[in-house]
C-alpha cells in the first residue's frame, strides 16, 4: 500500500491569481454546471486522414501496456431516423433516404477495410450500434456491416452486443439478422404508446400494437435484454397516461426493462408545443412528482419489478426483479471479465466503507466503463460524428458529419497518459469521491500529485481534497461547485483555447493539420 501523499508546495501567488481569473473567464465563456463538462475541455484540434489514424491504432496495439488488461469497445453511429422527432435534442441527425443510407454504408465499409487490419491483436469486448436509429437500415445492409465487423475485428468470446431501435421501422428480417450476429441487448425509443401523441411529435402513428409486435420479434428474456424508453413531460402527456403505458409494458410477457426519462425542452420544442413558454414546459415536467413515484412503486411491486432512480431524479429504471436476482453472480463475473474491473480492489473498498458503484449487467454507459476500468480503454468509432479514443494517442470524432462530402477524416486532440489520467480522475471524483494512487500508477504510470501538482495543492488547501490511506478523498459538493474546483486540473493552454472557441475564436470545423 503506498504511503499517504503530501500536498506539493504551493506555487507563487501571481500564478494562482492568473488561474483564478482564467477560471472566471472560462465560466463566463460557458457556464460550468457539471464535473463532466470539465472532463471534455480540450486543447487545440488536429486532423488525421484515415490511413494516419490506422497508423495510430497500429502503434497503440504494439504498445504492450495497451494490450494488457484493458477494455476495447467498438461503436457504430447511424445518424439517421425515419423522421426527426420534434423533441429530439441531437442536432446532427438526418431523415433517412435510400441515397443517404447507401452513402453511409460505403463510408463505413471503407473505414472497416482500413481500420480492421490496423487493430489486429486487439480483442474487442463490446459492440454498440447507436444513433439515430440503426433499425432504419434495411436487413441486407445490417447483415453486410455485421459480417464485415465479424471478419475484420477480433471479438472476445463473450463480447456484449447492443443496438438502438425504432419500433416503427423494425421487421422480422432485421430482428433475425441481429439475433444471427449475437446481439443480446435491444433498446427501443418508444416515448409513448399513444399514437396521436406520437403523430403530434413527428414520429408517425406508432401505437401500442406497433410496440407489441416488435417485442414479440425479439428473443426470450433469458437470451438477452430488451429496454424500452418512455419520455416524461411531452406535450399532451400526463402522469396518468404514463402510468397506463408503464402498466401495459409491465404486463407484456417479454418483461422489458423500462427507462423513464425527463424530456429536455429545447427552444424549438418549447416554441412549437408550449407557445414559447419554458415555464409551461417546466410545469408539465413538475407533474411527475412524489405522488407519481408512489404509484410507480406500487406498479413495480405488483409486477415484481425493482426501480432504480438516478441522483438527478431525471431517470427511473424499472427492471424485472427475478432477472436481476438470477444474474447477480453472473453480473459480477461479466464485469470482472469484460470490463477489467478489479474485484479485489472493489471488495477492499466495500470493506473500508467507501462507496462502490457496480452498474447492473447490460446498463454500462461509456462513462461508467470509463469510471470502472482498471486498464487502458480504447474506443473505435465508425460512422459520421462517432467518437474514437486511442489510449495515450488521440481522442477524435469522424468527419464529415451526416450527409457531408469529401474523404473521411478524424478531428480531435493528441492524448498523453496525463491527459487520459485527468479525464479519468474527473469521473472518479464525481462518482467515487476517492482517487486511489495505486490504481493511477497501474493505469497511467503516475500518481495524482505527480501528474497534477498544482491542482492537488489548491484542492488540499481549500478543503476539496484530503490525503487518506492510499490516495485522496474528495468532498461531496454540488455539481457546479465540483466542476469549478476541477478546472484546476485543466492545463492553462487548453483553458485559453476553450475560452477562445466559446467566445467565437477558431472554429472547430477547421482544425490544424498536424
Ligand atoms: S428517433 Fe430518437 S434519435 Fe431519432 S429523432 Fe427521434 S428522438 Fe431523435
Amino acid at each position: 500500500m503506498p504511503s499517504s501523499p503530501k500536498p506539493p508546495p504551493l506555487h507563487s501567488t501571481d500564478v494562482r491569481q492568473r488561474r483564478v481569473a482564467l477560471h472566471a473567464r472560462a465560466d463566463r465563456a460557458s457556464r460550468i454546471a457539471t464535473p463532466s463538462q470539465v472532463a471534455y475541455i480540450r486543447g487545440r484540434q488536429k486532423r488525421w486522414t484515415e490511413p494516419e489514424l490506422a497508423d495510430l491504432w497500429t502503434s497503440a496495439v504494439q504498445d504492450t501496456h495497451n494490450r494488457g488488461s484493458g477494455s476495447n469497445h467498438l461503436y457504430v453511429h447511424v445518424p439517421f431516423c425515419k423522421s426527426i422527432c420534434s423533441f429530439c435534442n441531437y442536432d446532427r441527425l438526418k431523415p433517412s433516404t435510400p441515397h443517404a443510407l447507401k452513402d453511409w454504408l460505403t463510408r463505413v465499409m471503407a473505414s472497416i477495410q482500413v481500420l480492421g487490419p490496423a487493430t489486429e491483436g486487439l480483442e474487442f469486448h463490446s459492440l454498440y450500434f447507436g444513433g439515430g436509429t440503426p433499425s432504419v437500415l434495411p436487413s441486407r445492409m445490417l447483415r453486410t456491416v455485421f459480417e464485415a465487423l465479424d471478419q475484420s475485428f477480433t471479438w472476445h468470446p463473450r463480447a456484449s452486443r447492443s443496438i438502438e431501435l425504432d419500433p416503427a421501422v423494425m421487421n422480422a428480417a432485421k430482428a433475425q439478422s441481429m439475433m444471427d450476429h449475437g446481439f443480446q441487448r435491444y433498446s427501443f425509443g418508444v416515448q409513448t404508446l399513444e399514437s396521436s401523441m406520437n403523430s403530434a411529435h413527428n414520429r408517425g402513428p406508432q401505437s401500442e400494437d406497433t410496440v407489441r409486435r416488435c417485442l414479440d420479434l425479439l428473443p426470450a428474456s433469458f437470451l438477452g435484454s430488451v429496454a424500452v424508453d418512455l419520455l416524461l413531460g411531452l406535450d399532451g402527456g400526463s402522469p396518468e397516461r404514463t402510468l397506463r403505458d408503464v402498466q401495459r409494458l409491465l404486463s407484456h410477457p417479454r418483461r422489458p426493462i423500462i427507462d423513464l426519462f425527463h424530456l429536455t425542452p429545447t427552444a424549438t420544442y418549447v416554441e412549437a408545443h408550449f407557445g414559447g413558454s419554458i415555464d409551461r414546459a417546466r410545469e408539465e415536467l413538475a407533474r411527475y412528482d412524489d405522488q407519481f413515484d408512489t404509484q410507480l412503486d406500487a406498479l413495480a411491486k405488483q409486477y415484481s419489478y425493482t426501480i432504480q432512480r438516478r441522483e438527478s431524479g431525471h431517470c427511473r429504471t424499472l427492471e424485472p426483479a427475478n432477472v436481476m436476482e438470477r444474474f447477480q453472480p453472473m453480473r459480477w463475473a461479466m464485469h470482472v471479465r469484460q470490463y477489467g474491473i478489479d474485484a479485489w480492489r472493489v471488495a477492499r473498498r466495500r470493506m473500508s466503507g467507501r462507496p462502490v458503484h457496480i452498474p447492473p449487467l447490460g446498463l454500462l454507459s461509456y462513462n461508467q466503463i470509463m469510471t470502472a476500468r482498471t486498464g487502458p480503454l480504447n474506443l473505435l468509432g465508425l460512422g459520421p460524428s462517432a467518437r474514437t479514443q486511442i489510449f495515450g494517442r488521440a481522442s477524435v470524432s469522424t468527419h464529415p458529419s451526416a450527409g457531408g462530402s469529401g474523404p473521411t477524416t478524424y478531428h480531435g486532440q493528441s492524448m498523453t497518459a496525463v491527459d487520459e489520467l485527468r479525464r479519468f480522475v474527473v469521473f472518479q471524483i464525481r462518482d467515487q469521491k476517492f482517487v486511489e494512487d495505486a490504481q493511477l500508477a497501474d493505469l497511467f504510470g503516475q500518481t495524482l500529485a505527480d501528474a497534477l501538482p498544482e491542482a492537488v495543492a489548491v484542492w488540499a488547501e481549500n478543503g476539496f481534497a484530503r490525503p487518506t490511506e492510499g490516495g485522496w478523498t474528495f468532498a461531496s459538493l454540488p455539481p457546479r461547485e465540483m466542476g469549478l474546483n476541477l478546472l484546476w486540473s485543466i492545463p492553462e493552454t487548453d483553458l485559453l483555447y476553450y475560452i477562445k472557441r466559446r467566445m467565437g475564436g477558431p472554429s472547430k470545423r477547421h482544425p490544424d493539420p498536424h
Side-chain angles (χ1 to χ4, degrees):
M1 185 73 65
S3 61
S4 302
K6 296 241 177 326
L10 297 182
H11 285 207
S12 83
T13 321
D14 283 355
V15 173
R16 187 76 67 86
Q17 279 174 350
R18 198 176 66 232
R19 280 295 296 221
V20 169
L22 203 56
H23 292 186
R25 276 174 66 199
D27 190 38
R28 272 203 307 278
S30 175
R31 192 171 188 275
I32 303 295
T34 62
S36 49
Q37 211 177 324
V38 177
Y40 293 105
I41 291 181
R42 292 158 183 189
R44 192 166 289 280
Q45 287 217 340
K46 295 179 179 177
R47 185 177 58 213
W48 288 265
T49 63
E50 199 148 60
E52 285 169 343
L53 196 82
D55 288 344
L56 279 189
W57 274 112
T58 305
S59 76
V61 176
Q62 283 165 356
D63 182 343
T64 45
H65 185 54
N66 215 345
R67 292 177 81 125
S69 61
S71 61
N72 309 307
H73 308 274
L74 204 151
Y75 174 73
V76 183
H77 188 61
V78 185
F80 305 106
C81 295
K82 67 176 190 309
S83 55
I84 306 301
C85 309
S86 57
F87 51 78
C88 188
N89 57 6
Y90 184 50
D91 60 4
R92 292 192 209 154
L93 297 173
K94 299 270 180 225
S96 68
T97 62
H99 175 75
L101 295 183
K102 207 169 149 212
D103 182 54
W104 176 89
L105 182 69
T106 307
R107 276 183 187 279
V108 167
M109 292 298 283
S111 298
I112 292 173
Q113 295 310 317
V114 177
L115 300 178
T119 62
E120 200 181 329
L122 211 60
E123 191 174 55
F124 284 84
H125 299 85
S126 77
L127 170 63
Y128 194 102
F129 263 71
T133 39
S135 55
V136 292
L137 295 168
S139 60
R140 181 177 33 83
M141 281 193 190
L142 286 170
R143 280 191 188 276
T144 304
V145 183
F146 295 160
E147 277 160 22
L149 291 172
D150 279 343
Q151 284 162 13
S152 307
F153 297 93
T154 306
W155 296 96
H156 187 286
R158 292 174 65 194
S160 69
R161 294 193 165 194
S162 316
I163 190 159
E164 293 175 357
L165 309 164
D166 176 349
V169 289
M170 267 299 278
N171 60 35
K174 294 181 191 185
Q176 193 57 53
S177 70
M178 293 164 201
M179 287 185 270
D180 289 349
H181 287 273
F183 281 81
Q184 318 103 339
R185 299 172 192 184
Y186 304 87
S187 172
F188 281 104
V190 165
Q191 323 311 354
T192 168
L193 295 178
E194 299 286 339
S195 60
S196 58
M197 271 174 68
N198 277 311
S199 296
H201 286 83
N202 199 34
R203 292 177 49 75
Q206 170 203 287
S207 66
E208 184 183 349
D209 275 353
T210 323
V211 175
R212 281 187 168 274
R213 268 200 304 275
C214 273
L215 290 175
D216 293 343
L217 291 172
L218 295 170
S221 49
F222 57 89
L223 292 175
S225 72
V226 175
V228 172
D229 295 351
L230 295 178
L231 212 46
L232 313 186
L234 285 170
D235 178 22
S238 68
E240 295 72 32
R241 276 190 159 181
T242 302
L243 288 166
R244 204 164 55 223
D245 286 355
V246 169
Q247 182 160 23
R248 288 171 180 168
L249 291 166
L250 289 174
S251 62
H252 190 279
R254 187 62 188 73
R255 289 181 64 72
I257 293 165
I258 303 170
D259 286 309
L260 303 170
F261 292 104
H262 276 216
L263 181 139
T264 307
T266 60
T268 327
Y269 185 73
V270 171
E271 194 57 47
H273 291 269
F274 292 100
S277 165
I278 184 72
D279 289 342
R280 275 186 54 209
R282 288 193 182 129
E283 277 163 25
E284 194 57 45
L285 281 164
R287 295 168 71 192
Y288 297 87
D289 54 11
D290 289 350
Q291 197 186 343
F292 170 76
D293 273 314
T294 307
Q295 289 174 279
L296 196 63
D297 284 336
L299 274 180
K301 197 169 170 206
Q302 183 186 345
Y303 288 91
S304 300
Y305 269 63
T306 60
I307 303 187
Q308 295 177 39
R309 293 179 168 85
R310 296 236 180 107
E311 249 175 63
S312 65
H314 293 170
C315 174
R316 302 156 174 92
T317 298
L318 286 89
E319 286 189 78
N322 55 342
V323 170
M324 283 183 80
E325 281 152 22
R326 192 167 354 128
F327 283 104
Q328 197 75 3
M330 199 169 137
R331 170 180 144 191
W332 275 85
M334 293 273 282
H335 279 304
V336 170
R337 195 160 163 179
Q338 287 191 353
Y339 302 107
I341 291 174
D342 181 339
W344 293 117
R345 176 171 288 139
V346 170
R348 277 206 312 274
R349 276 192 199 170
R350 274 243 158 99
M351 284 188 286
S352 67
R354 283 200 286 270
V356 181
H357 175 63
I358 297 293
L361 180 67
L363 291 181
L364 278 189
S365 69
Y366 177 65
N367 281 349
Q368 286 168 328
I369 292 171
M370 290 274 285
T371 310
R373 69 184 166 147
T374 58
L377 180 139
N378 293 296
L379 174 71
L380 192 151
L382 294 170
S385 307
R387 280 174 54 203
T388 286
Q389 184 162 329
I390 310 176
F391 184 81
R393 298 289 191 288
S395 174
V396 296
S397 62
T398 315
H399 287 246
S401 52
S405 56
T408 300
T409 52
Y410 296 85
H411 301 181
Q413 287 76 29
S414 289
M415 296 282 285
T416 62
V418 174
D419 296 326
E420 298 272 1
L421 176 146
R422 278 194 296 108
R423 203 170 289 178
F424 176 75
V425 154
V426 167
F427 291 114
Q428 285 285 303
I429 295 173
R430 184 193 67 178
D431 299 336
Q432 315 281 350
K433 316 286 181 289
F434 180 72
V435 173
E436 188 177 7
D437 274 330
Q439 184 182 24
L440 294 192
D442 276 358
L443 270 171
F444 309 104
Q446 300 191 56
T447 64
L448 188 65
D450 289 341
L452 306 172
E454 189 184 357
V456 172
V458 174
W459 293 339
E461 194 184 271
N462 70 11
F464 180 44
R466 67 187 160 81
T468 41
E469 191 192 342
W472 291 85
T473 298
F474 287 80
S476 192
L477 298 177
R480 172 166 161 77
E481 221 177 303
M482 187 176 277
L484 289 170
N485 262 295
L486 289 169
L487 282 177
W488 288 96
S489 67
I490 308 295
E492 197 168 314
T493 46
D494 290 7
L495 269 181
L496 284 167
Y497 183 70
Y498 172 79
I499 292 166
K500 231 179 188 177
R501 263 184 58 194
R502 293 285 160 166
M503 291 186 150
S507 162
K508 63 179 178 181
R509 289 179 190 286
H510 301 290
D512 305 333
H514 61 118

